[in-house]
């Protein structure tokens, strides 16, 4: 596609439910990032995939969060047993590689846990 | 561990005046540095980057940034600000491949340009 695509754009879920957020990166981009942004604040790093290397999971806030990237393309971020503090905008980005190329961001998924 | 600091939460400037948004970084080895802008209810847009070479880099919408290795800074500048430049600005750093490649963002600086 022309850009990074994220779905759904908005998600309202009940506390305790599981949610899956999807990211479709730009074709050919080997690097993929997930970030979390609360109320127009800074970007909190969650996880980074680069090619076939083991992902950098150092930013995942708890074991309720997990992510996978199938076939080096589409990525899914899963949040289990959602809590109200998980409410935020989840942003996905991809870049051509993991070095000096800029990352392109999707429009994000706004998650609201009620 | 790499980090980025944007010391000002908000910068206010009158339209037509110069705009500067400050950024300092900490990283092992040579850095790759980026600026992004986020307009209200929009995604992040890439403005410019420093990889190597000339310390002054030019980007979109008339913005430029100066890399200063000794001060570990990468301040964003625009000679004459527009009201439409009002947005949230993020500085980001990525270390070289050997250091892990993670793209780390600063906390953001909100710019308000008043007519």
């Amino acid at each position: 596609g022309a850009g990074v695509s994220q779905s759904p754009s908005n998600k309202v879920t009940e506390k305790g439910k599981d949610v899956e957020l999807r990211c479709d990166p730009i074709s050919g981009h080997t690097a993929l990032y997930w970030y979390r942004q609360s109320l127009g604040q800074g970007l909190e790093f969650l996880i980074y995939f680069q090619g076939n290397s083991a992902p950098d999971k150092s930013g995942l806030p708890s074991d309720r969060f997990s992510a996978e990237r199938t076939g080096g393309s589409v990525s899914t971020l899963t949040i289990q047993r959602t809590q109200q503090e998980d409410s935020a905008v989840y942003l996905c980005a991809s870049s051509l590689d993991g070095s000096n190329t800029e990352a392109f961001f999707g429009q994000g998924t706004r998650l609201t846990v009620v | 561990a790499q980090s980025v600091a944007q010391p000002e939460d908000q910068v206010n400037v009158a339209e037509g005046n110069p705009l500067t948004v400050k950024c300092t970084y900490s990283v092992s080895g040579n850095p790759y540095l980026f600026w992004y802008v986020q307009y209200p209810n929009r995604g992040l847009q890439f403005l410019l980057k420093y990889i190597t070479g000339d310390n002054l880099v030019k980007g979109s919408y008339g913005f430029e940034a100066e890399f200063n290795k000794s001060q570990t800074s990468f301040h964003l500048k625009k000679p004459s600000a527009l009201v439409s430049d009002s947005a949230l600005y993020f500085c980001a750093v990525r270390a070289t491949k050997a250091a892990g490649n993670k793209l780390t963002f600063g906390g953001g600086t909100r710019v308000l340009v008043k007519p």
Side-chain angles (χ1 to χ4, degrees):
Chain A
V4 177
S5 178
Q6 291 188 245
S7 60
S9 54
N10 281 284
K11 176 71 176 179
V12 179
T13 189
E14 292 181 352
K15 179 181 173 181
K17 300 282 189 182
D18 298 352
V19 294
E20 285 189 352
L21 311 180
R22 177 188 168 105
C23 174
D24 208 333
I26 294 172
S27 179
H29 281 195
T30 63
L32 187 147
Y33 302 83
W34 283 99
Y35 294 87
R36 180 167 70 174
Q37 184 179 31
S38 300
L39 290 173
Q41 300 301 310
L43 274 71
E44 177 187 4
F45 167 77
L46 297 177
I47 189 168
Y48 163 52
F49 296 89
Q50 173 57 57
N52 295 321
S53 303
D56 178 348
K57 304 180 181 180
S58 60
L60 294 178
S62 76
D63 59 8
R64 296 186 296 105
F65 288 73
S66 63
E68 63 178 20
R69 188 179 185 191
T70 53
S73 181
V74 172
S75 177
T76 302
L77 177 68
T78 300
I79 308 173
Q80 296 178 312
R81 305 180 302 281
T82 52
Q83 304 294 314
Q84 286 186 332
E85 60 263 29
D86 299 334
S87 296
V89 176
Y90 289 81
L91 295 168
C92 176
S94 70
S95 63
L96 188 60
D97 57 32
S99 60
N100 62 9
T101 55
E102 59 271 28
F104 294 87
F105 281 79
Q107 293 298 305
T109 294
R110 182 176 299 276
L111 175 66
T112 304
V113 182
V114 297
Chain B
Q2 60 192 51
S3 64
V4 178
Q6 293 181 241
E8 300 156 317
D9 290 336
Q10 181 159 324
V11 170
N12 297 319
V13 63
E15 187 174 34
N17 282 2
L19 170 63
T20 298
V21 186
K22 295 179 181 177
C23 171
T24 59
Y25 65 91
S26 173
V27 70
S28 298
N30 294 321
Y32 300 131
L33 295 155
F34 305 84
W35 275 101
Y36 287 82
V37 61
Q38 186 177 37
Y39 298 102
N41 300 314
R42 302 275 297 276
L44 272 79
Q45 297 178 28
F46 168 75
L47 275 178
L48 50 77
K49 66 181 179 182
Y50 171 82
I51 303 302
T52 187
D54 194 349
N55 289 342
L56 184 65
V57 293
K58 296 185 183 296
S60 307
Y61 312 122
F63 283 94
E64 58 188 30
E66 186 166 12
F67 170 64
N68 187 317
K69 188 173 184 178
S70 63
Q71 296 185 6
T72 61
S73 68
F74 190 56
H75 301 331
L76 181 71
K77 300 180 181 182
K78 186 170 183 179
S80 179
L82 301 172
V83 172
S84 57
D85 294 328
S86 298
L88 188 56
Y89 291 80
F90 291 98
C91 181
V93 67
R94 181 192 277 140
T96 55
K97 200 169 187 178
N101 276 159
K102 188 168 68 179
L103 185 60
T104 300
F105 283 81
T109 298
R110 192 168 301 279
V111 170
L112 180 60
V113 182
K114 297 181 179 178

